[in-house]
Amino acid sequence: AVADGYGVGKGAVQYFKARCLDAMGEREKALAAYKEVSAFDDLPLADDGAGVATLARRRMSVLDRTP
């Protein structure tokens, strides 16, 4: 786990946790983690300027459409 500290916010840590759960096929756990991230401030994380909340909402919409 990545500790919260200089340069690493709780939103980023939770987002990457959600990505790991997603990659492991833990859909329900990933959705819960993405939902938590979507409530964080939308601080930039991606090269395109997208923040953690935006990235989480994007992935949640994909998972919601996947059976």
Side-chain angles (χ1 to χ4, degrees), residues 4-15:
D4 189 32
Y6 181 75
V8 180
K10 289 181 181 180
V13 170
Q14 188 65 18
Y15 174 74

Side-chain angles (χ1 to χ4, degrees), residues 33-56:
Y34 284 130
K35 184 175 181 179
E36 185 177 330
V37 174
S38 70
F40 280 91
D41 291 334
D42 210 13
L43 299 173
L45 180 67
D47 289 340
D48 67 357
V52 292
T54 298
L55 293 169

